[in-house]
Amino acid sequence: MYANRDLPITASLSDNAHATAEELRFLLKAANLSQRSAAKYLNVDERTMRSWCAGDGRPPAPVLRALEFRAAYPASLMRMIESNERTISAIQEGRISGVVDGSGAESNRDLMGELEMLKRRNEEHRALLRLDQAFHRRQEAMLGMNEQWLPRGSGLPTEDSLDEFDAADKEFRAAQAECDRIAKEIRAGKR
Protein backbone atom coordinates (compact mmCIF):
# COMPACT_ATOMS: atom_id res chain seq x y z
CA MET A 1 0.00 0.00 0.00
CA TYR A 2 1.35 3.41 -0.93
CA ALA A 3 1.23 6.47 1.28
CA ASN A 4 0.15 8.61 -1.66
CA ARG A 5 -2.56 7.05 -3.76
CA ASP A 6 -2.15 9.73 -6.43
CA LEU A 7 1.37 8.61 -7.31
CA PRO A 8 1.87 6.04 -10.06
CA ILE A 9 2.86 2.58 -8.91
CA THR A 10 6.10 2.26 -10.81
CA ALA A 11 8.81 1.36 -8.37
CA SER A 12 7.15 -1.84 -7.25
CA LEU A 13 7.23 -3.32 -10.74
CA SER A 14 9.82 -6.07 -11.00
CA ASP A 15 10.58 -5.21 -14.60
CA ASN A 16 10.81 -1.51 -15.11
CA ALA A 17 9.14 -1.56 -18.53
CA HIS A 18 6.33 0.80 -17.54
CA ALA A 19 8.55 3.46 -15.99
CA THR A 20 8.05 6.10 -18.62
CA ALA A 21 9.43 9.59 -18.81
CA GLU A 22 5.94 10.91 -18.07
CA GLU A 23 5.79 8.99 -14.78
CA LEU A 24 9.25 10.20 -13.83
CA ARG A 25 8.27 13.81 -14.56
CA PHE A 26 5.10 13.31 -12.49
CA LEU A 27 7.16 12.06 -9.54
CA LEU A 28 9.56 15.00 -9.86
CA LYS A 29 6.65 17.42 -9.80
CA ALA A 30 5.01 15.65 -6.85
CA ALA A 31 8.33 15.69 -4.98
CA ASN A 32 8.76 19.38 -5.82
CA LEU A 33 12.14 18.70 -7.43
CA SER A 34 13.68 20.07 -10.58
CA GLN A 35 15.62 17.70 -12.81
CA ARG A 36 18.85 19.23 -11.49
CA SER A 37 17.90 18.95 -7.82
CA ALA A 38 16.58 15.41 -8.36
CA ALA A 39 19.89 14.42 -9.92
CA LYS A 40 21.71 15.78 -6.87
CA TYR A 41 19.21 14.19 -4.47
CA LEU A 42 19.67 10.81 -6.18
CA ASN A 43 23.41 11.22 -6.75
CA VAL A 44 23.18 10.74 -10.52
CA ASP A 45 24.58 12.84 -13.32
CA GLU A 46 22.33 15.69 -14.48
CA ARG A 47 22.60 14.51 -18.09
CA THR A 48 21.35 11.09 -17.04
CA MET A 49 18.33 12.63 -15.31
CA ARG A 50 17.59 14.80 -18.35
CA SER A 51 17.78 11.78 -20.66
CA TRP A 52 15.43 9.76 -18.42
CA CYS A 53 12.96 12.67 -18.39
CA ALA A 54 13.19 12.94 -22.17
CA GLY A 55 12.40 9.24 -22.56
CA ASP A 56 15.92 8.14 -23.54
CA GLY A 57 16.48 5.13 -21.30
CA ARG A 58 14.64 4.11 -18.18
CA PRO A 59 15.50 4.94 -14.59
CA PRO A 60 16.18 1.99 -12.30
CA ALA A 61 13.50 1.02 -9.79
CA PRO A 62 15.44 2.35 -6.74
CA VAL A 63 15.39 5.82 -8.30
CA LEU A 64 11.62 5.69 -8.60
CA ARG A 65 11.20 4.32 -5.06
CA ALA A 66 13.30 7.18 -3.67
CA LEU A 67 11.22 9.74 -5.56
CA GLU A 68 7.95 8.11 -4.51
CA PHE A 69 9.01 8.32 -0.87
CA ARG A 70 10.13 11.94 -1.27
CA ALA A 71 6.79 12.84 -2.86
CA ALA A 72 4.61 10.74 -0.54
CA TYR A 73 5.82 12.09 2.82
CA PRO A 74 4.58 15.68 2.49
CA ALA A 75 1.47 14.52 0.64
CA SER A 76 0.54 12.11 3.44
CA LEU A 77 1.06 14.83 6.06
CA MET A 78 -1.20 17.16 4.06
CA ARG A 79 -3.89 14.45 3.82
CA MET A 80 -3.77 13.91 7.59
CA ILE A 81 -4.06 17.67 8.20
CA GLU A 82 -7.00 17.96 5.80
CA SER A 83 -8.77 14.97 7.35
CA ASN A 84 -8.28 16.38 10.84
CA GLU A 85 -9.55 19.80 9.68
CA ARG A 86 -12.71 18.20 8.30
CA THR A 87 -13.30 16.41 11.62
CA ILE A 88 -12.59 19.59 13.60
CA SER A 89 -15.05 21.49 11.42
CA ALA A 90 -17.70 18.79 11.86
CA ILE A 91 -17.31 18.91 15.65
CA GLN A 92 -17.44 22.70 15.75
CA GLU A 93 -20.51 22.82 13.46
CA GLY A 94 -22.31 20.22 15.58
CA ARG A 95 -22.38 17.52 12.90
CA ILE A 96 -20.62 15.28 15.41
CA SER A 97 -22.49 15.54 18.68
CA GLY A 98 -20.61 13.32 21.03
CA VAL A 99 -18.15 10.51 21.50
CA VAL A 100 -19.30 7.14 22.75
CA ASP A 101 -17.04 5.91 25.52
CA GLY A 102 -16.33 2.30 26.50
CA SER A 103 -19.55 1.99 28.51
CA GLY A 104 -21.68 3.07 25.56
CA ALA A 105 -22.50 6.50 27.04
CA GLU A 106 -22.11 9.65 24.96
CA SER A 107 -19.78 12.27 26.39
CA ASN A 108 -19.32 15.86 25.25
CA ARG A 109 -16.27 16.09 27.48
CA ASP A 110 -14.65 13.34 25.40
CA LEU A 111 -15.68 15.26 22.29
CA MET A 112 -13.86 18.39 23.49
CA GLY A 113 -10.83 16.25 24.32
CA GLU A 114 -10.94 14.81 20.81
CA LEU A 115 -11.16 18.32 19.36
CA GLU A 116 -8.11 19.49 21.30
CA MET A 117 -6.18 16.34 20.38
CA LEU A 118 -6.91 16.88 16.67
CA LYS A 119 -5.76 20.50 16.89
CA ARG A 120 -2.52 19.40 18.58
CA ARG A 121 -1.95 16.70 15.93
CA ASN A 122 -2.40 19.26 13.18
CA GLU A 123 0.08 21.57 14.88
CA GLU A 124 2.55 18.68 14.99
CA HIS A 125 1.95 17.71 11.35
CA ARG A 126 2.31 21.31 10.17
CA ALA A 127 5.55 21.66 12.12
CA LEU A 128 6.91 18.50 10.46
CA LEU A 129 5.83 19.76 7.06
CA ARG A 130 7.55 23.13 7.63
CA LEU A 131 10.69 21.32 8.79
CA ASP A 132 10.71 19.12 5.68
CA GLN A 133 10.24 22.11 3.37
CA ALA A 134 12.87 24.17 5.20
CA PHE A 135 15.33 21.27 5.11
CA HIS A 136 14.97 20.91 1.35
CA ARG A 137 15.25 24.67 0.79
CA ARG A 138 18.43 24.72 2.87
CA GLN A 139 19.81 21.72 1.01
CA GLU A 140 19.11 23.39 -2.35
CA ALA A 141 20.83 26.57 -1.17
CA MET A 142 23.87 24.58 -0.01
CA LEU A 143 24.06 22.71 -3.31
CA GLY A 144 23.79 26.03 -5.16
CA MET A 145 26.76 27.40 -3.22
CA ASN A 146 28.79 24.22 -3.75
CA GLU A 147 28.39 24.54 -7.51
CA GLN A 148 30.14 27.88 -7.40
CA TRP A 149 33.37 26.49 -5.96
CA LEU A 150 36.15 25.42 -8.28
CA PRO A 151 36.37 23.47 -10.58
CA ARG A 152 32.72 24.04 -11.61
CA GLY A 153 32.32 27.70 -10.74
CA SER A 154 34.38 30.84 -10.38
CA GLY A 155 35.76 29.79 -7.03
CA LEU A 156 33.60 31.84 -4.68
CA PRO A 157 29.86 31.79 -3.97
CA THR A 158 27.94 34.90 -5.02
CA GLU A 159 26.43 37.28 -2.52
CA ASP A 160 22.94 36.19 -3.63
CA SER A 161 23.69 32.52 -3.00
CA LEU A 162 25.14 33.30 0.43
CA ASP A 163 22.05 35.38 1.29
CA GLU A 164 19.76 32.57 0.10
CA PHE A 165 21.64 30.06 2.23
CA ASP A 166 21.46 32.33 5.30
CA ALA A 167 17.70 32.82 4.82
CA ALA A 168 17.16 29.09 4.25
CA ASP A 169 19.27 28.23 7.29
CA LYS A 170 17.32 30.69 9.45
CA GLU A 171 14.03 29.16 8.26
CA PHE A 172 15.34 25.65 8.96
CA ARG A 173 16.51 26.55 12.47
CA ALA A 174 13.13 28.13 13.29
CA ALA A 175 11.27 25.04 12.03
CA GLN A 176 13.64 22.78 13.95
CA ALA A 177 13.12 24.82 17.14
CA GLU A 178 9.35 24.47 16.74
CA CYS A 179 9.65 20.68 16.35
CA ASP A 180 12.00 20.54 19.34
CA ARG A 181 9.48 22.50 21.44
CA ILE A 182 6.69 20.09 20.49
CA ALA A 183 8.90 17.06 21.20
CA LYS A 184 9.78 18.49 24.61
CA GLU A 185 6.07 18.92 25.41
CA ILE A 186 5.38 15.34 24.33
CA ARG A 187 8.20 14.01 26.53
CA ALA A 188 6.90 16.08 29.47
CA GLY A 189 3.42 14.56 29.02
CA LYS A 190 1.81 17.89 28.08
CA ARG A 191 0.51 16.53 24.77
Side-chain angles (χ1 to χ4, degrees), residues 98-108 110:
V99 176
V100 178
D101 63 17
S103 66
E106 214 175 87
S107 167
N108 281 334
D110 290 340

Side-chain angles (χ1 to χ4, degrees), residues 34-150:
S34 66
Q35 289 179 16
R36 174 177 283 170
S37 59
K40 290 175 187 168
Y41 174 71
L42 297 165
N43 198 26
V44 299
D45 188 69
E46 287 180 36
R47 289 174 292 191
T48 303
M49 181 60 67
R50 280 195 303 270
S51 71
W52 288 340
C53 289
D56 301 330
R58 301 201 186 276
V63 165
L64 299 172
R65 277 194 293 274
L67 289 173
E68 283 179 348
F69 175 77
R70 171 70 180 100
Y73 178 70
S76 65
L77 282 176
M78 285 304 300
R79 272 198 315 279
M80 285 187 273
I81 290 169
E82 290 165 2
S83 174
N84 288 348
E85 288 297 330
R86 285 191 301 272
T87 305
I88 289 169
S89 178
I91 292 171
Q92 290 173 335
E93 293 170 2
R95 290 183 283 138
I96 298 176
S97 61
V99 176
V100 178
D101 63 17
S103 66
E106 214 175 87
S107 167
N108 281 334
R109 187 179 61 108
D110 290 340
L111 185 62
M112 291 301 116
E114 180 73 12
L115 182 65
E116 290 306 311
M117 187 269 305
L118 288 171
K119 288 179 180 180
R120 284 192 307 269
R121 291 295 178 261
N122 271 2
E123 179 188 12
E124 294 161 10
H125 295 326
R126 285 187 177 105
L128 289 171
L129 196 56
R130 279 191 293 277
L131 182 64
D132 182 63
Q133 292 166 343
F135 171 79
H136 288 289
R137 178 183 176 203
R138 182 173 163 226
Q139 186 177 29
E140 284 293 314
M142 175 62 82
L143 292 171
M145 281 190 338
N146 284 345
E147 283 184 351
Q148 296 170 10
W149 295 104
L150 291 174

